[in-house]
Amino acid sequence: MRKIIINGGRPLKGKVTVSGAKNSVVALIPAIILADGVVTLDGVPSISDVDSLVDIMETMGATVRRDGETLEIDPRGVQDMPMPFGKINSLRASYYFYGSLLGRFGQAIVGLPGGCDLGPRPIDLHLKAFEAMGASTTYEGSNMHLVAENKELHGAHIYMDTVSVGATINTLLAAVKATGRTVIENAAREPEIIDVATLLNNMGARIRGAGTDIITIDGVTSLHGTRHQVIPDRIEAGTYIALAAAVGEGIQIDNVLYEHLESYLAKLEEMGVRMTVSEDSVFVEKQTELKAVSVKTAPYPGFATDLQQPITPLLLTAKGTGRIMDTIYEKRIGHVAELAKMGADISTRSNYIAYQGPNQLVGAAVKATDLRAGAAMVIAGLMASGQTEITNVEFILRGYSDIIEKLVNLGADIQLIEE
Ligand code: UD1
């Protein structure tokens, strides 16, 4: 079993560079299946979700070369074969193979997606879109069977009942090679969607409107290879900014697109966080007294649900009371009980989290209940006096590239140990 051990209370300073976006790359890799040539991705984070996706691509017959942050994939050998189990079940994003395999072969048998337990995570909107494009979708055992009539999807007019990142991207993947025009209304507007559309367009697809709530896709018959730079991870950036405000004595976070973090940075300003935002970096000063604020998550460009847990330890340093309400994943509250074990005045109510500060946390044995809760525990451990031991660290390593090295470089006393 692997654990993270942190001796808290160290002054952290220096520079940290944000890696490529996890939520982009987990869609970009399956998207490559649609190309008839080699696609090279630059800025690929070193996270275990990427290792799993590479493994799945190789199992299907793709040729993959990885060199540092560069990933070169030749998908021409990918076979039309069932992908029932193994790594597929460990990843939420494995649902992107539904769209890309359907787009390439007109059919797919894929295991059900895994990922973090944030309460119910339905995929009805993904299936509704595939059905509108002429595919049948049936569960058989623990597999999803998707079959397009005559193995060919057709364009469709699709209205998303809920704004969904996954369903929007999956519809793009299925639609780029479908015959005719597909229109997605009430599409999600996250930067990762623009990133996927940019890759697909550079492969020869005809997608317009990515980043707005209406996306139009005109199907093409083939897509070719290309080279693509993955956008910076705005959630990793937000995590390091929160950490810098909570325990930093002057930390510069590089490779940040502040346009992707506007609502988050506005919330930090409301707390009184002193920072300098530049074109591609954010410098966070040592903070004195911060003000408690309330946070409510919303689809992009609102406050990201993925940053709700990482900002919580910072909120606990502030003076006053506040509420955290996650309107996307109401059950994303695994960090609350763990922070309470460290002495935080925080608790869950009917549909929100209530906290009161300021708090001086004390090191404890805690667990990462999911990926972003894990990030919260790391920040809390750095803030606390004494030693914090975090278990279930696999979650953290799924999404934070080189987290131990990056924190050691800032002066943290943190280690990943194997027991
Ligand atoms: C993605 C991100 C995840 C982030 C989430 C919301 C990836 C790999 N993961 O997850 O980190 O927390 O966006 O920003 O990119 N919903 C339905 N039916 C569906 C699909 C979704 O009801 O078919 C609901 C969900 O329960 C949720 C909301 O829509 O309440 C948004 O979910 P969605 O944007 O789809 O999340 P994911 O794409 O799974």
Side-chain angles (χ1 to χ4, degrees):
M1 186 171 64
R2 290 197 286 181
K3 287 180 182 173
I4 288 178
I5 308 285
I6 301 171
N7 289 306
R10 293 287 187 95
L12 305 190
K13 59 173 95 159
K15 285 187 183 182
V16 60
T17 302
V18 170
S19 300
K22 164 186 169 287
N23 285 351
S24 267
V25 82
V26 297
L28 297 172
I29 294 172
I32 293 172
I33 288 180
L34 293 160
D36 294 327
V38 176
V39 176
T40 305
L41 298 179
D42 294 309
V44 174
S46 104
I47 54 176
S48 64
D49 271 10
V50 168
D51 303 339
S52 302
L53 287 166
V54 165
D55 205 75
I56 294 168
M57 294 289 284
E58 286 178 331
T59 306
M60 288 194 291
T63 308
V64 183
R65 285 228 317 255
R66 200 168 169 187
D67 181 11
E69 293 191 344
T70 299
L71 190 62
E72 189 185 278
I73 301 183
D74 184 344
R76 284 171 289 195
V78 169
Q79 304 292 313
D80 181 7
M81 63 190 266
M83 287 301 297
F85 38 67
K87 294 273 163 64
I88 287 272
N89 305 102
S90 73
L91 280 176
R92 176 72 183 159
S94 57
Y95 53 41
Y96 291 134
F97 287 108
Y98 297 5
S100 61
L101 290 172
L102 253 184
R104 170 145 171 193
F105 298 115
Q107 61 179 13
I109 299 177
V110 188
L112 297 180
C116 292
D117 180 10
L118 311 177
R121 298 185 79 175
I123 54 165
D124 56 308
L125 297 169
H126 305 231
L127 303 183
K128 198 178 116 177
F130 298 147
E131 284 165 9
M133 287 188 266
S136 70
T137 64
T138 47
Y139 288 101
E140 287 182 29
S142 58
N143 290 321
M144 177 60 66
H145 286 229
L146 307 155
V147 187
E149 206 176 317
N150 302 323
K151 296 200 182 167
E152 204 169 284
L153 295 170
H154 56 74
H157 201 114
I158 295 155
Y159 178 82
M160 296 287 176
D161 299 316
T162 307
V163 177
S164 161
V165 177
T168 302
I169 292 180
N170 236 340
T171 308
L172 285 182
L173 296 174
V176 283
K177 288 182 77 181
T179 46
R181 173 171 288 189
T182 299
V183 179
I184 311 173
E185 285 198 56
N186 202 26
R189 294 181 282 164
E190 270 69 359
E192 293 74 19
I193 291 164
I194 303 178
D195 204 26
V196 174
T198 303
L199 171 73
L200 290 169
N201 280 344
N202 288 338
M203 281 161 51
R206 293 176 58 204
I207 303 168
R208 276 179 297 122
T212 75
D213 59 1
I214 301 183
I215 303 179
T216 306
I217 307 118
D218 286 307
V220 295
T221 48
S222 70
L223 296 169
H224 50 76
T226 188
R227 187 162 194 140
H228 179 82
Q229 173 78 38
V230 182
I231 57 168
D233 195 312
R234 64 197 164 97
I235 308 302
E236 189 195 9
T239 302
Y240 283 110
I241 293 170
L243 180 150
V247 286
E249 301 203 342
I251 295 184
Q252 180 165 317
I253 298 105
D254 287 331
N255 197 27
V256 180
L257 290 178
Y258 72 88
E259 298 92 332
H260 293 171
L261 282 161
E262 298 223 45
S263 54
Y264 185 71
L265 295 174
K267 190 51 76 177
L268 295 178
E269 270 166 17
E270 189 186 329
M271 293 181 75
V273 172
R274 289 193 312 273
M275 57 192 163
T276 310
V277 178
S278 312
E279 204 167 309
D280 60 0
S281 70
V282 175
F283 180 79
V284 183
E285 295 172 30
K286 178 176 166 58
Q287 309 299 319
T288 41
E289 196 176 282
L290 297 177
K291 186 161 76 67
V293 295
S294 290
V295 167
K296 189 173 177 182
T297 68
Y300 190 85
F303 191 103
T305 165
D306 283 350
L307 283 171
Q308 176 262 106
Q309 292 162 307
I311 202 180
T312 302
L314 175 66
L315 293 172
L316 292 172
T317 67
K319 194 167 172 204
T321 59
R323 290 180 176 191
I324 304 161
M325 189 185 280
D326 198 324
T327 66
I328 316 278
Y329 292 113
E330 232 179 75
K331 295 286 167 238
R332 200 166 205 175
I333 50 174
H335 55 316
V336 173
E338 303 304 307
L339 289 167
K341 282 185 201 162
M342 298 175 75
D345 186 350
I346 186 166
S347 56
T348 51
R349 305 292 163 84
S350 58
N351 64 346
Y352 64 90
I353 298 164
Y355 73 93
Q356 179 160 4
N359 293 263
Q360 174 52 55
L361 302 183
V362 184
V366 293
K367 61 175 183 288
T369 56
D370 58 81
L371 165 59
R372 305 300 170 189
M377 300 327 296
V378 170
I379 299 176
L382 295 168
M383 284 162 53
S385 58
Q387 193 170 78
T388 295
E389 180 185 300
I390 307 173
T391 50
N392 274 16
V393 298
E394 273 61 31
F395 277 121
I396 302 172
L397 305 177
R398 274 191 42 211
Y400 285 92
S401 195
D402 302 321
I403 186 167
I404 305 293
E405 293 83 341
K406 288 183 184 184
L407 291 173
V408 166
N409 279 341
L410 291 174
D413 182 346
I414 180 169
Q415 303 177 56
L416 179 68
I417 59 159
E418 191 99 32
E419 268 189 1

